[in-house]
Amino acid sequence: MYPHFLALFNKSGIACAADADHTVFHLSKDLPVAVAVNPASSIPWETLLKDYLKKGPVQEHLFLTEYAADFGEFLASVHVRKGWEKLPSEEMNIIFFGFGSQDIFPSVFDVQAEIKDGVLVLGQGIDTTVDSQQSVLCHFLGDFESVSTLIWGATAQVRSYFYDKDQELFKTYGERVKDKFKGTKYEDYVNAHLDRFDVEGRVVDGLNNATNNAYSAFMLGVDSFSVEELVTAVESLVKANAELSLLKSGKRDTAADVKEIAVLTIPEGLTWIKHSLYYRRSEI
């Protein structure tokens, strides 16, 4: 099972939590930028990030993507080991988050590392900023299927399940109705009406409405959260997801816990609330 990491962003700042330590790291000793990686990856992200910081002070940039580009240039010098090119996306995913030099609200750059021409590079990625259009952002590493309905209303896996289920129910319903009117003067009308009914469109519309309503309620609530409330939210969601994932895998005798909690704001930079190796920023 891969570790679970979740970060919530609003205008107050960023709070993140993971059920595996050594997931969140500084991207700079002095600037409010950080990165989350999969500690279970075959790529030694922790070692690479420490080597990156040993190069010296990171240059201040206007945009978060420029910090990611700097790290991408460093990756090009990393010796690629055999087998890295076959790693699943979960082990290659990197989430950069923080503030550009003139930002007042946080940004996130969610990207996959790739092997090209024998070196590590960063792909296109998704660059998003908290603003008036998107006041809440949510990014994660690992599988959050267990608590997906609380955040997004439903993930693709959940939607697929209900889509197939509703299709099956309508088919059963249609067969019963047709059988009920078989041999009557209404048979042709009922059959034609059922055949015209857009069951696929109706199911998709219903799922979209349910998902949008759930996500809108989630966004509305998180938008008003303080940093402390963001911390409570990510800690609760990560712990619940980890516990449910263990139960579904049959590991009932294994306890799930949140191993790492961190907050990122402009004045404080990255601060760990929970971490096996807790450091103050000045000691990094």
Side-chain angles (χ1 to χ4, degrees):
M1 292 175 63
Y2 286 116
H4 306 101
F5 163 86
L6 180 68
L8 290 179
F9 305 66
N10 70 7
K11 293 177 181 178
S12 299
I14 308 163
C16 54
D19 67 340
D21 216 335
H22 309 294
T23 300
V24 181
F25 296 90
H26 284 283
L27 197 62
S28 166
K29 296 179 180 180
D30 307 303
L31 303 169
V33 286
V35 62
V37 294
N38 183 345
S41 175
S42 298
I43 298 177
W45 290 119
E46 180 178 0
T47 300
L48 295 182
L49 285 159
K50 287 180 178 178
D51 289 344
Y52 172 72
L53 290 177
K54 288 176 183 177
K55 295 194 319 169
V58 175
Q59 180 183 349
E60 188 173 22
H61 293 294
L62 281 173
F63 304 105
L64 180 69
T65 49
E66 294 177 287
Y67 291 104
D70 275 356
F71 184 67
E73 290 181 10
F74 164 78
L75 288 182
S77 66
V78 173
H79 173 69
V80 174
R81 298 179 188 174
K82 185 178 180 181
W84 283 7
E85 68 278 358
K86 297 179 181 179
L87 292 177
S89 60
E90 289 87 349
E91 298 193 30
M92 306 289 276
N93 197 187
I94 310 174
I95 299 178
F96 298 89
F97 55 98
F99 301 81
S101 62
Q102 295 185 13
D103 287 340
I104 58 173
F105 300 133
S107 298
V108 59
F109 183 56
D110 197 330
V111 65
Q112 292 283 331
E114 303 170 359
I115 308 291
K116 285 189 178 180
D117 300 323
V119 298
L120 269 171
V121 298
L122 297 181
Q124 292 294 321
I126 301 172
D127 174 29
T128 322
T129 301
V130 169
D131 54 25
S132 58
Q133 301 299 315
Q134 288 189 286
S135 59
V136 173
L137 301 176
C138 177
H139 282 256
F140 63 97
L141 296 172
D143 178 11
F144 273 82
E145 189 71 32
S146 297
V147 294
S148 63
T149 52
L150 296 175
I151 305 173
W152 302 281
T155 61
Q157 184 177 345
V158 172
R159 289 169 63 87
S160 176
Y161 169 80
F162 282 106
Y163 178 83
D164 293 341
K165 193 70 175 177
D166 280 358
Q167 288 272 56
E168 182 182 340
L169 288 172
F170 181 80
K171 181 180 179 181
T172 302
Y173 166 78
E175 290 173 350
R176 289 179 178 177
V177 171
K178 287 182 178 181
D179 185 62
K180 181 72 174 179
F181 288 93
K182 187 175 181 179
T184 71
K185 62 180 181 179
Y186 302 108
E187 180 178 2
D188 291 341
Y189 169 80
V190 168
N191 288 346
H193 183 73
L194 288 172
D195 291 340
R196 287 196 306 269
F197 185 75
D198 182 15
V199 59
E200 293 185 10
R202 182 64 66 89
V203 172
V204 169
D205 287 345
L207 286 170
N208 285 342
N209 288 336
T211 298
N212 291 338
N213 289 339
Y215 190 54
S216 295
F218 174 78
M219 296 271 284
L220 182 63
V222 175
D223 183 28
S224 64
F225 280 8
S226 64
V227 171
E228 291 80 7
E229 289 168 326
L230 288 176
V231 168
T232 300
V234 291
E235 182 179 17
S236 300
L237 287 168
V238 167
K239 185 172 183 179
N241 191 71
E243 288 177 341
L244 290 169
S245 297
L246 285 172
L247 286 173
K248 286 197 294 186
S249 68
K251 298 180 179 179
R252 299 179 181 275
D253 57 342
T254 305
D257 194 15
V258 176
K259 301 290 182 64
E260 194 169 55
I261 304 173
V263 169
L264 183 59
T265 59
I266 294 176
E268 296 295 330
L270 181 67
T271 303
W272 279 282
I273 296 173
K274 190 174 185 180
H275 189 11
S276 66
L277 297 172
Y278 181 84
Y279 294 110
R280 283 189 249 278
R281 293 181 67 235
S282 60
E283 298 171 343
I284 298 295

